[in-house]
Structures are given as structure tokens and as C-alpha cells.
Amino acid sequence: MVHVRTAFVQRLTKETKVQVALSLDGGPLDLLPNDPQFKDIIPSQRTEHHATQDSASQQIWIWTGIGFLDHMLHALSKHAGWSLRVRTQGDLAIDDHHTAEDTFLGLGEAFAKALGDRKGLCRFGHAYAPLDEALARAVIDISSRPFFVGEFGFKDAKIGDLTAQMVHHGLQSFSQTAGVTLHVDVIKGDNDHHRAEAAFKALAVAARSAAGVVVGKEGEVASTKGVL
């Protein structure tokens, strides 16, 4: 029997409402449950928009109210091989900080929950990803030791409608709740959109490798401590 690595997380605060459903191995994924706290301004999950994609292997539907953040999470899930549904309603009348932060916290929590006991995992992953002139590197350790280091070198304060510094803070938030050690560096690039997208694509490929199950190592923990 194949073990399906899925998780559902809901975070409800006075600042944001976040729902995340994740399948690490792709495939079908149930719709997010209805909740009266989410207002009608959020499209139906059956509605196609800028961050939706259905295929035989993946189902992706993302809406945070921040278009560029949706785009980055779409790229992350697509290239990680995940099926992912994200719905966030945040206090965007203030700024994008709480909305982006809590979305990444919810995603990290779902990632950790879907991994389960972390037995049999490859644990480590690394990848490079280019986007035209930009080149990024990501290295991840599913270590249960949250730590993040990132160097992005953005030139402008915003990328689309996302504050540029929220890329760093968002991935730091993800690493905390996911329980991973994560290093992401943009090595070169002139365009901030390209730099950010290359970073998320590199993370996607690295995370896919690290979360992979090593044949013959099922039930074993990849640690000298015997636990992760």
C-alpha cells in the first residue's frame, strides 16, 4: 500500500486567515473546506486564475491576494512536484507583511506534517536553477533544526505587489515551521523578478530531492542520532 504524504493546515488569527492543503507527491488533492471567515472576494477553487494548474500529476490552486507571491508559490509547487492549495485572506489594507509571513508559516507547517516521522528520507537536497540571466542555488537539510540564510540582492523595494524583503522573511518563516535548515542564494541576475523566481525554482528542486524516499532505507532515520 502506497503511503500518501498529505497535510491540511489552518491558521486563523485577527490578522490573517490561512488554509493550506499539500501533497508532497502530487496527485489528487481535496478542495479546501469552506469556512465562513473567508469572504466572497476570494475566487471559487473551481475558478481558473493566474496561479492555478491542473494536470494528471498535480493540482495547484493558490490565492493570497498578493499576485507575485501566488506566482512564486505556483513555481515552487510545480517544480517540487507537489499538489498544493493555498487560500489566504490578510490585512492587506496595512501592508503585505502578515499575509506573506503567515502564508509561509502555514506552508512550512503543512510540509512538516506531510513528512510524518521523516523516516526513509534522503534528507539533503541541493539544486541550481537559472531564469535567463539569473542563477540561484538552494541547499536544504530536513534536519528538525530550523535555520535560514538567504542572499537575494534585490535592487528594488517591491517585486510586483510583494515587498522584496518578504522573500527573505517568508522563507525564514517557512524554515521555522517546516523544521529545515535552508540556504538560498541568488548568484547572479539583473532582473528582480528573475532573481526571485530562480530562487524559488532552485528551492523546489532541492526540496523534492530531500523529501524523496531512499529505496531500501524505508523505516530508517538518516541521522547518527537516530532521530530527526
Side-chain angles (χ1 to χ4, degrees):
M1 182 176 179
V2 177
H3 175 58
V4 180
R5 300 186 297 173
T6 62
F8 170 72
V9 168
Q10 181 165 279
R11 294 174 55 87
L12 304 176
T13 73
K14 292 179 67 176
E15 297 170 340
T16 64
K17 313 289 185 285
V18 180
Q19 290 178 323
V20 178
L22 171 65
S23 172
L24 293 177
D25 304 301
L29 193 60
D30 290 340
L31 296 178
L32 297 167
N34 291 326
D35 189 302
Q37 297 188 74
F38 288 88
K39 298 178 181 178
D40 293 339
I41 57 173
I42 298 177
S44 163
Q45 292 176 72
R46 301 187 186 279
T47 301
E48 291 190 10
H49 59 85
H50 58 271
T52 62
Q53 191 169 9
D54 278 353
S55 68
S57 62
Q58 289 176 277
Q59 294 183 348
I60 300 169
W61 187 96
I62 298 162
W63 184 274
T64 66
I66 305 171
F68 190 74
L69 177 57
D70 296 347
H71 182 42
M72 293 300 97
L73 295 179
H74 186 183
L76 173 62
S77 54
K78 180 61 180 178
H79 296 289
W82 299 343
S83 286
L84 178 66
R85 295 186 185 277
V86 175
R87 176 164 53 192
T88 300
Q89 178 182 304
D91 54 358
L92 292 175
I94 297 174
D95 63 11
D96 60 349
H97 186 102
H98 298 143
T99 301
E101 178 183 51
D102 286 6
T103 298
F104 278 107
L105 289 170
L107 180 60
E109 186 178 346
F111 182 80
K113 190 175 179 181
L115 285 173
D117 60 13
R118 306 193 176 201
K119 292 181 179 178
L121 298 181
C122 179
R123 177 178 166 177
F124 300 98
H126 68 276
Y128 289 83
L131 179 55
D132 295 345
E133 86 296 346
L135 178 65
R137 171 182 59 204
V139 183
I140 188 170
D141 176 10
I142 302 176
S143 58
S144 297
R145 294 168 61 91
F147 203 88
F148 176 67
V149 179
E151 293 289 342
F152 300 96
F154 297 131
K155 299 177 181 179
D156 295 325
K158 301 196 78 171
I159 312 172
D161 48 2
L162 179 69
T163 303
Q165 65 180 226
M166 289 310 298
V167 173
H168 186 286
H169 185 63
L171 292 178
Q172 182 181 45
S173 299
F174 170 82
S175 69
Q176 290 296 314
T177 52
V180 300
T181 301
L182 178 60
H183 292 250
V184 181
D185 305 282
V186 179
I187 299 167
K188 61 178 73 173
D190 297 322
N191 182 280
D192 282 352
H193 184 132
H194 291 177
R195 293 177 75 91
E197 189 168 341
F200 277 90
K201 287 177 176 177
L203 171 58
V205 179
R208 185 173 190 168
S209 176
V213 176
V214 180
V215 176
K217 297 289 187 178
E218 300 88 346
E220 298 183 20
V221 178
S223 172
T224 55
K225 299 181 179 68
V227 295
L228 280 176

